[in-house]
Amino acid sequence: MITTEYAPGSPCWLDLGAPDVRAAASFYGAVLGWDYESMGESEDFEGGMFRKDGKVVGGLGKLTEEGARPAWMIYYSVPDADVTTEVVRQAGGTVRVEPMDLDEWGRMAQYSDPLGGQFAVWQPGTTAGLDLVDEPGSLAWVELFTTDAAAAREFYGGLFDWQFSDMPLPGGAGTYTMVTPAGLTEDRMHGGLMEMGAQDLTLTDGRPYWHPVFAVEDCDAAAARVTQKGGEVQMGPQDMEGVGRLAVCLDPAGAEFVLLAAAED
């Protein structure tokens, strides 16, 4: 589970790059019950915060990078973004955004792993991360679809010192690798990675990518709202033994996310 006790290497923030900020705010408001709080609009910037019951659950910004696709960016907590940046370079990753301060809130940087999967880090200042996680309408899990699971484990394991445990997928469909922050027990497991062929990663033309999993109370109802508001349900809703009922979705601009109604203990 993800908690707001953001241990190093755990997901602590996410934001959406969208071509139309207001349309994205309306869509996620309808699907997940989020409120949008604008932080300003200008020629150079448009964006703000998503809130659930007054608590911050994510960020939203205008997609400005040329050629970039609409997508959610996952941030991992680190004690020193500058040190992490050098480790990324040494391990064969790419620095997309050099470490930079965001006022007193913290310091961030964005990268691509050696296979092309994009992610980011957050060095906390006055803000440690999201206010609400692992509750309906908030981030509950993160996933990497990669073309080389062994290479991904080597890169991220070296970068964040993650602990890995493997689980066979039903029907002999491969292996799902679950991720836990360094030194923590498996009840703090926060995500997973799965190897897929480049031909199956059509969303990114074969490049690995991370996506968020959002907790919901009723997966079928939430998935219905996705299609009602112009999004697409790519898979599900379907039951996953020991996990819950989930649906893989695209928002109207093409950003992928997953809805999960967790199985009861």
Side-chain angles (χ1 to χ4, degrees), residues 109-128:
Q110 294 186 357
Y111 317 111
S112 294
D113 68 30
L115 297 168
Q118 296 182 0
F119 68 105
V121 297
W122 179 254
Q123 175 186 330
T126 58
T127 299

Side-chain angles (χ1 to χ4, degrees), residues 197-252:
Q199 70 277 6
D200 298 317
L201 300 175
T202 55
L203 193 64
T204 54
D205 296 324
R207 192 185 70 225
Y209 63 93
W210 288 94
H211 63 209
V213 178
F214 297 117
V216 292
E217 292 182 346
D218 185 326
C219 184
D220 292 74
R225 293 193 293 272
V226 168
T227 55
Q228 289 166 5
K229 296 300 178 180
E232 179 183 340
V233 176
Q234 292 192 301
M235 186 186 81
Q238 66 184 51
D239 294 323
M240 296 288 287
E241 186 177 354
V243 176
R245 191 162 175 82
L246 61 80
V248 180
C249 306
L250 296 178
D251 71 18

Side-chain angles (χ1 to χ4, degrees), residues 170-190:
T175 300
Y176 190 84
T177 299
M178 294 172 288
V179 180
T180 303
L184 297 183
T185 55
E186 288 192 350
D187 65 331
R188 291 291 300 276
M189 196 177 283
H190 66 248

Side-chain angles (χ1 to χ4, degrees), residues 1-6 11-14 55-58 129-141 215:
M1 64 182 294
I2 298 175
T3 80
T4 53
E5 297 175 7
Y6 295 116
C12 64
W13 185 263
L14 79 166
K55 297 179 179 180
V56 175
V57 291
L130 303 171
D131 294 335
L132 183 68
V133 293
D134 204 43
E135 298 287 345
S138 69
L139 182 67
W141 191 257

